[in-house]
């Protein structure tokens, strides 16, 4: 169980408001955050990549803006988030900075992670931060949210981040040990379930809605997160993060619930590209490109002979060989117009042709599935 965490290459850690922020005065629990940063530094020293999805902006900001307790109007929540997010980001920067680890703030909406256009940009920012050795610190971009900001939205956001970055493990640090067979706040005999292999109706029924006054989305949003994460080949674990060094505690056998994925992130992502997305265009390629793709390489503009259909950057397209037959599917890094302009050209001509320095590949091999 613990080795599952140790084996992970890329880990997303979601931190709930109640762990990070004092409910009465809105102060950030610095000592706890420092201890978490120690755990993160240890994971990175062991070669693991770590991304953080954090809540707490509203909880911090509302006290600093003098907003009353109780429920806030949407614009008040947004103002609170705007004010709290600065402090939150700063706290992470300081905590990670103690280990000389850089932090990069990334504010996303659930929509960015669902719509593939902005998705590609968000993903390359996250990957670039990781490559440069920084820890992405993600929160929802609450100021542009149009719907009511709900507690628990970040559970789903974290699962989407895990999905898009092909993380192996998502850790939800919460104020509850894991999934119980009934609500432990209402039933003293409730039993913790250590491992969930499939999200059956029976498991879903154990979820239940958040109780009034809960500062989290309860189990319901966590089960939604589990569905997204495991569907993307990412194992998810819920554990109580209250103790200092919550990751070390998890490693050392703290109570928790693991939700197991049946595929690895790579396979699941390829399944998603091959099966779920509807291609809206076609790239015709020459025999040389066809051979390169069969050998596992990316699709470069030079090998493309024609571009058909209408598509945006990040949309799924069909790749067809010289005889017109489908050979692969993938996410195209350019829209149909730009793809048409650079088709047949060397990658180092892209900047001159388009006026900006885009990707070298039309379809990166990670975004490509042979048919
Ligand atoms: N984005 C919100 C905040 O930072 C939290 C949403 C959540 O807890 O799910 O305050």
């Amino acid at each position: 169980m613990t080795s599952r965490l140790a084996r992970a290459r890329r880990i997303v850690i979601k931190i709930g408001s109640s762990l990070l922020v004092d409910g009465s005065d809105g102060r950030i629990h610095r000592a706890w955050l420092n201890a978490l940063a120690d755990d993160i530094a240890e994971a990175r020293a062991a070669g693991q990549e770590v991304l953080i999805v954090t809540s707490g902006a509203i909880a911090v900001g509302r006290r600093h803006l003098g907003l009353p307790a109780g429920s806030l109007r949407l614009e008040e929540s947004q103002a609170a988030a705007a004010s709290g997010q600065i402090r939150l980001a700063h706290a992470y920067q300081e905590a990670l900075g103690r280990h000389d680890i850089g932090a990069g703030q990334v504010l996303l909406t659930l929509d960015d992670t669902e719509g593939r256009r902005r998705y590609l940009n968000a993903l390359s920012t996250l990957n670039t931060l990781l490559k440069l050795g920084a820890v992405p610190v993600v929160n929802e971009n609450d100021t542009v949210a149009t719907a009511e900001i709900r507690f628990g939205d970040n559970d789903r956001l974290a699962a989407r981040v895990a999905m898009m970055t092909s993380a192996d493990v998502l850790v939800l640090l919460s104020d509850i040990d894991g999934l119980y067979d009934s609500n432990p706040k209402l039933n003293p005999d409730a039993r913790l379930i250590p491992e969930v292999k499939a999200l059956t109706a029976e498991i879903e029924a154990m979820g239940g809605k958040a109780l009034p006054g809960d500062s989290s989305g309860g189990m319901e949003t966590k089960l939604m997160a589990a569905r997204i994460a495991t569907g993307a080949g990412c194992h998810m674990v819920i554990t109580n993060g209250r103790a200092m060094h919550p990751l070390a505690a998890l490693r050392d056998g703290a109570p928790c619930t693991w939700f197991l994925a049946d595929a690895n992130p790579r396979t699941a992502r390829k399944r998603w590209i091959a099966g779920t997305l509807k291609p809206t265009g076609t790239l015709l390629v020459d025999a040389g490109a066809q051979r390169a793709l069969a050998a596992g390489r990316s699709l470069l503009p030079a090998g493309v002979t024609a571009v058909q259909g209408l598509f945006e950057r990040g949309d799924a397209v069909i790749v067809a060989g010289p005889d017109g037959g489908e050979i692969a599917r993938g996410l195209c890094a350019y829209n149909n117009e730009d793809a048409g302009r650079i088709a047949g050209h060397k990658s180092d001509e892209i900047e001159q042709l388009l006026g900006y320095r885009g990707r070298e590949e039309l379809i990166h091999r990670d975004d490509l599935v042979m048919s």
Side-chain angles (χ1 to χ4, degrees):
M1 236 193 272
T2 48
S3 61
R4 212 171 278 138
L5 187 63
R7 276 199 309 268
R9 224 175 16 89
R10 193 172 270 192
I11 306 171
V12 174
I13 306 168
K14 187 262 167 177
I15 295 145
S17 295
S18 63
L19 299 177
L20 194 60
V21 186
D22 192 302
S24 59
D25 60 10
R27 234 184 298 204
I28 295 171
H29 293 140
R30 298 282 177 154
W32 182 86
L33 187 56
N34 284 343
L36 176 73
D38 296 346
D39 287 356
I40 292 173
E42 206 175 295
R44 286 170 40 107
Q48 296 177 303
E49 291 177 320
V50 178
L51 298 96
I52 291 173
V53 175
T54 186
S55 298
I58 296 175
V60 169
R62 64 184 297 158
R63 269 85 189 185
H64 286 282
L65 292 181
L67 286 160
S71 61
L72 299 176
R73 290 202 304 271
L74 175 59
E75 62 272 24
E76 289 172 331
S77 299
Q78 289 171 315
S83 165
Q85 183 62 31
I86 296 183
R87 289 173 190 270
L88 207 56
H90 190 227
Y92 277 100
Q93 187 195 46
E94 282 192 335
L96 291 165
R98 290 164 50 254
H99 296 278
D100 284 325
I101 301 172
Q105 173 179 268
V106 178
L107 298 181
L108 295 174
T109 64
L110 273 172
D111 198 47
D112 292 334
T113 56
E114 277 156 16
R116 286 187 307 288
R117 284 153 213 166
R118 296 210 273 179
Y119 168 102
L120 261 197
N121 281 327
L123 175 57
S124 32
T125 306
L126 293 170
N127 279 334
T128 307
L129 282 168
L130 290 170
K131 205 158 70 197
L132 296 173
V135 172
V137 178
V138 181
N139 194 358
E140 186 160 13
N141 191 354
D142 290 326
T143 49
V144 299
T146 48
E148 192 193 337
I149 302 161
R150 282 159 312 206
F151 285 121
D153 282 353
N154 275 6
D155 291 335
R156 260 180 313 153
L157 183 67
R160 297 246 178 245
V161 168
M163 173 183 174
M164 83 171 151
T165 56
S166 303
D168 318 84
V169 170
L170 165 62
V171 182
L172 296 189
L173 294 181
S174 173
D175 52 6
I176 184 160
D177 286 344
L179 177 70
Y180 285 83
D181 59 0
S182 62
N183 191 331
K185 288 183 187 158
L186 306 175
N187 176 7
D189 297 327
R191 283 201 345 260
L192 181 73
I193 303 189
E195 199 169 275
V196 174
K197 288 207 174 72
L199 287 161
T200 56
E202 195 193 350
I203 294 289
E204 298 276 1
M206 294 173 191
K209 291 212 183 302
L211 295 174
D214 272 359
S215 70
S216 78
M219 259 317 140
E220 198 186 17
T221 58
K222 291 181 177 52
L223 290 181
M224 283 157 89
R227 190 167 288 288
I228 298 168
T230 56
C234 175
H235 302 307
M236 183 181 110
V237 59
I238 304 175
T239 191
N240 192 328
R242 280 202 190 286
M244 290 292 196
H245 299 287
L247 286 189
L250 185 60
R251 186 194 56 209
D252 298 341
C256 65
T257 302
W258 278 96
F259 294 83
L260 302 184
D262 66 352
N264 65 43
R266 214 179 133 73
T267 322
R269 184 170 155 76
K270 299 248 163 176
R271 221 157 45 186
W272 175 65
I273 294 172
T276 322
L277 301 175
K278 210 167 145 285
T280 55
T282 303
L283 305 178
L284 288 159
V285 303
D286 62 22
Q290 183 167 13
R291 276 195 302 276
L293 297 189
R297 289 208 279 278
S298 298
L299 178 64
L300 301 177
V304 176
T305 54
V307 176
Q308 297 165 348
L310 294 178
F311 51 88
E312 289 295 331
R313 177 176 151 68
D315 278 348
V317 294
I318 288 174
V319 181
D323 64 357
E326 171 174 334
I327 55 172
R329 286 180 183 214
L331 307 183
C332 189
Y334 292 88
N335 65 22
N336 61 293
E337 268 177 43
D338 287 354
R341 282 199 200 109
I342 60 177
H345 290 273
K346 295 230 170 64
S347 295
D348 58 13
E349 295 172 62
I350 293 177
E351 186 166 6
Q352 198 196 333
L353 288 164
L354 301 183
Y356 64 89
R357 197 172 148 205
R359 297 262 180 94
E360 268 176 38
E361 310 87 9
L362 214 43
I363 304 180
H364 191 275
R365 62 190 156 99
D366 292 346
D367 298 330
L368 191 93
V369 194
M370 297 308 286
S371 302

